[in-house]
Amino acid sequence: MKTFRVSELGKQPTLTALSALPLQPGHARVDIRACGLNFADLLMTKGRYQDTPETPFSLGMEPAGIVTELGPETGGLAVGTRVVVFSGKDGLADEGVFPADRCLPLPDNMSFEDAAAFQITYGTSHMALDYKARLQPGETLLVLGAAGGVGLTAVEIGKVMGARVIACARGADKLEICKKAGADHMIDSTSEDIREVVKALGGADVVYDAVGGEQGEAAFRATNPDGRFLYIGFASGDMPNLKPNHMLVKNITTIGFYWGGYLKFNADVLTDSLRQLLTWYAEGKIHPHVSHTLPLEQAEDALELLRSRKSTGKVVVTMGPNS
């Protein structure tokens, strides 16, 4: 098998040939056809991600492919089933062995490319907005980093949930993508004052902050009384400096959210969320946006697209026919 492997933290991952992995009870062997990339993959190479595995390991948190073999005492799947897997690692390979309970069957109309672009971004936004923030129809949702991997799904899901969505992103091209995803209002973070624009639009009831830093601080100051502020990530490299006394006076709830963490204490809520999302996909309500698709041999180029912020939506690495 070929795999894109991290042998030492801080060093360049390399495409490596390995022997096929043994098949354990409760596991499935998957012929991987595509794998989505995430900002967490970049952090893992430096050991800066909260769930960085011990070296050596292969990158790739969300592969999709076909079950080719089942281990002993493994139920719930059949050989030949098309699946998406939340693996946490080892997805950037042409084959993998994963716990069967991490494998979800795909709708018939879902390609491997869309499946690989789906789980973490849509799962993060759906659980953050629904399970944590309790976003209601008619409320105003402000999304920072709205053209990014998770941000664009927050725009889509916010609209499916009946919210008015304000999308904040860098530049006209990225804002146009947000508009196509359903955003009602757009803010160019390179030239407009986020706080002033949002306040002029009536303020935000829910803020989805995947950026942090000054943008997060400006969004917090435009949050309405009794609003909810979701910490999703800090793509800017800085955490927003939010004032607790302002939270108190305005009765604002701040919520930290890490999708993968639920695997450790409430995996059922993740599975239920993904099933709802797959149903919405099958019904045509959500449409993953993949800006770049590259083969496994160009995995480093794919990571560079994330590193340089040249992508919108998702970057997907492919290993075989996408069908």
Side-chain angles (χ1 to χ4, degrees), residues 22-301:
L23 193 57
Q24 303 293 331
H27 285 63
R29 191 182 305 279
V30 177
D31 175 14
I32 300 173
R33 300 299 182 85
C35 184
L37 293 187
N38 295 275
F39 192 71
D41 289 303
L42 293 175
L43 297 178
M44 281 187 194
T45 65
K46 300 176 182 179
R48 292 172 52 196
Y49 187 58
Q50 57 261 33
D51 281 340
T52 299
E54 291 186 10
T55 56
F57 65 91
S58 298
L59 296 173
M61 302 176 70
E62 45 185 343
I66 301 172
V67 175
T68 58
E69 188 180 1
L70 296 172
E73 305 170 18
T74 303
L77 286 175
V79 171
T81 303
R82 301 166 69 252
V83 295
V84 65
V85 187
F86 178 66
S87 62
K89 61 184 181 71
D90 297 338
L92 284 179
D94 52 20
E95 179 182 287
V97 172
F98 308 106
D101 60 6
R102 297 276 188 96
C103 302
L104 283 178
L106 300 181
D108 291 340
N109 64 337
M110 188 176 230
S111 68
F112 292 123
E113 181 182 295
D114 277 359
F118 192 81
Q119 284 186 104
I120 294 175
T121 52
Y122 280 99
T124 294
S125 293
H126 181 246
M127 280 194 59
L129 295 175
D130 183 48
Y131 183 74
K132 299 293 286 185
R134 307 294 184 187
L135 179 68
Q136 300 299 308
E139 288 190 314
T140 296
L141 167 66
L142 170 62
V143 181
L144 303 183
V150 292
L152 202 57
T153 63
V155 172
E156 262 194 293
I157 290 172
K159 290 303 295 179
V160 171
M161 294 178 66
R164 181 179 69 146
V165 178
I166 304 171
C168 182
R170 296 173 61 87
D173 291 346
K174 290 187 175 182
L175 288 173
E176 182 61 28
I177 292 170
C178 297
K179 183 177 181 180
K180 289 179 180 178
D184 299 288
H185 304 279
M186 276 71 66
I187 301 174
D188 188 338
S189 62
T190 65
S191 59
E192 296 183 88
D193 186 311
I194 294 171
R195 180 193 180 198
E196 293 303 319
V197 174
V198 175
K199 286 179 70 70
L201 291 169
D205 300 304
V206 175
V207 174
Y208 183 101
D209 182 13
V211 176
E214 293 181 356
Q215 289 191 36
E217 293 164 18
F220 177 76
R221 295 174 70 192
T223 303
N224 289 330
D226 207 26
R228 288 85 77 203
F229 189 102
L230 285 158
Y231 287 99
I232 303 299
F234 312 111
S236 68
D238 297 312
M239 291 182 285
N241 181 20
L242 308 187
K243 299 185 181 299
N245 60 319
H246 291 181
M247 298 176 203
L248 185 153
V249 171
K250 296 176 71 175
N251 286 289
I252 294 174
T253 302
T254 56
I255 304 169
F257 182 74
Y258 167 45
W259 184 80
Y262 277 83
L263 286 168
K264 299 176 182 177
F265 61 87
N266 193 355
D268 288 346
V269 73
L270 280 186
T271 302
D272 291 344
S273 171
L274 286 171
R275 286 184 176 135
Q276 175 64 73
L277 290 165
L278 289 169
T279 298
W280 282 351
Y281 179 94
E283 294 172 348
K285 292 181 179 178
I286 52 180
H287 309 87
H289 175 80
V290 178
S291 64
H292 297 82
T293 303
L294 289 83
L296 181 59
E297 290 74 17
Q298 293 178 245
E300 176 53 37
D301 295 332

